[in-house]
Amino acid sequence: MNSQTLDHLRATIRDVPNFPKPGILFKDITPVLGDHALLSRAIDGMIDATGVLKVDKVVGIDARGFIFGSLIASRLGAGFVPIRKKGKLPWKTRGVDYSLEYGSSSVEMHQDAIAPGETVLLADDLLATGGTAAAALHLIAQSGGKLVGSTFFIELSFLNGREKLRGHGPVHALISY
Ligand code: AMP
């Protein structure tokens, strides 16, 4: 991706101070979602940088990971698997509790969403502490899937979340703070 597009993306992400809690600088990506050309380039960038060309499944995390994950899955010709907040999925699930940059949460995945041996790319809007990504990795591993890479639109690199994904393929973020 060229530096002009990266600058455009950076300028379009909106910083919202003290949301959803005091002290959190929330990275609002909705202005990027609203711009077709920019979103399209962001998705291409998130795919290109991982070097992962073919996977069986793309896993996206509730809720903004659904947006990026689905678009990436569609371009890669892969299936999409949602990891949802506890209690939202209708079928048999496996779940995990984890801590967030601003609180704690429980997420679940359908038991039959990933078949043993399937290759998986993880996608989310933002990597902060890596707690959410680690929870996803746990669920992918439990189902017998193989995480081969992870791609994020934004990384808060000072929180060092990528350490939690070490040993599970390349970890890429389009924009780092
Ligand atoms: P973490 O588990 O700490 O890596 O947090 C990642 C998840 O929380 C992602 O799914 C993000 O959507 C959300 N998140 C955490 N921090 C922020 C932030 N500063 N701005 C926007 N979203 C955030």
Side-chain angles (χ1 to χ4, degrees), residues 151-168:
T151 186
F152 300 89
F153 180 46
I154 298 169
E155 173 184 23
L156 305 182
S157 55
F158 53 90
L159 293 171
N160 230 353
R162 61 171 59 227
E163 279 301 309
K164 301 217 168 80
L165 292 167
R166 189 194 279 272
H168 299 276

Side-chain angles (χ1 to χ4, degrees), residues 19 24-28 61-65 98-102 124-133 156 159 161:
F19 181 88
I24 299 291
L25 182 63
F26 193 86
K27 297 290 181 187
D28 178 16
I61 306 168
D62 206 341
R64 291 177 295 275
Y98 68 102
S99 54
L100 279 170
E101 189 192 5
Y102 45 78
D124 203 1
D125 66 324
L126 187 143
L127 178 67
T129 65
T132 309
L156 305 182
L159 293 171

Side-chain angles (χ1 to χ4, degrees), residues 28 60 62 67 71 75 90 101 104 107 112 116 124 143 148-149 153:
D28 178 16
D62 206 341
I67 302 165
L71 290 168
R75 291 212 190 157
E101 189 192 5
S104 67
V107 286
D112 60 358
D124 203 1
S143 62
V148 296
F153 180 46

Side-chain angles (χ1 to χ4, degrees), residues 2-77:
N2 64 41
S3 64
Q4 209 182 349
T5 306
L6 276 178
D7 288 347
H8 191 182
L9 280 169
R10 275 181 186 274
T12 308
I13 295 164
R14 178 163 49 202
D15 284 350
V16 184
N18 302 314
F19 181 88
K21 287 188 176 172
I24 299 291
L25 182 63
F26 193 86
K27 297 290 181 187
D28 178 16
I29 50 106
T30 60
V32 177
L33 302 182
D35 183 328
H36 170 257
L38 202 52
L39 178 60
S40 188
R41 274 184 239 134
I43 296 299
D44 285 341
M46 286 175 74
I47 292 172
D48 290 348
T50 61
V52 175
L53 294 175
K54 189 84 195 92
V55 284
D56 297 308
K57 298 281 163 61
V58 175
V59 165
I61 306 168
D62 206 341
R64 291 177 295 275
F66 295 170
I67 302 165
F68 290 97
S70 300
L71 290 168
I72 290 168
S74 171
R75 291 212 190 157
L76 287 178

